[in-house]
Amino acid sequence: MAAERETLPPLSGLQWEALAWLVRGTFIDVLWIEQPGELLAQEVEDAELDENLEPARLAEACRSFSRVQALAVIDACQCGNVVALPVKE
């Protein structure tokens, strides 16, 4: 998972925190294995996130994740390891 996190496109720290908040509040089951990036994007789109977080761009980023990248993001978010995700400067 750590190797996959290194290949992720950087997002703002607030965007990662918002994504972590969504993941922790979402029931993630075996169905997420097939399309985790798409399902993350749908969660972002369904949430009422502040416009400063650029929800459309965040959803787009989630859709761009490979399957393993998205699973690495979910893992980091569930484990409270958001600091391991790349932050854009």
Side-chain angles (χ1 to χ4, degrees):
M1 293 290 180
E4 286 300 319
R5 286 192 302 262
E6 292 177 11
T7 66
L8 288 164
L11 298 175
S12 75
L14 290 176
Q15 287 174 315
W16 286 126
E17 289 293 335
L19 200 52
W21 177 77
L22 289 172
V23 166
R24 287 190 300 267
T26 301
F27 178 70
I28 296 178
D29 61 10
V30 70
L31 297 175
W32 281 68
I33 293 293
E34 294 302 318
Q35 294 183 325
E38 176 60 32
L39 294 173
L40 279 174
Q42 290 175 14
E43 289 296 323
V44 169
E45 290 170 341
D46 290 345
E48 294 182 17
L49 297 177
D50 187 287
E51 285 303 313
N52 292 333
L53 295 172
E54 300 178 88
R57 293 187 80 180
L58 182 55
E60 182 181 323
C62 291
R63 284 191 175 94
S64 77
F65 298 156
S66 72
R67 183 173 159 225
V68 180
Q69 284 175 322
L71 293 172
V73 168
I74 291 168
D75 179 65
C77 291
Q78 287 181 327
C79 294
N81 195 18
V82 179
V83 296
L85 299 170
V87 177
K88 67 179 170 185
E89 299 174 23

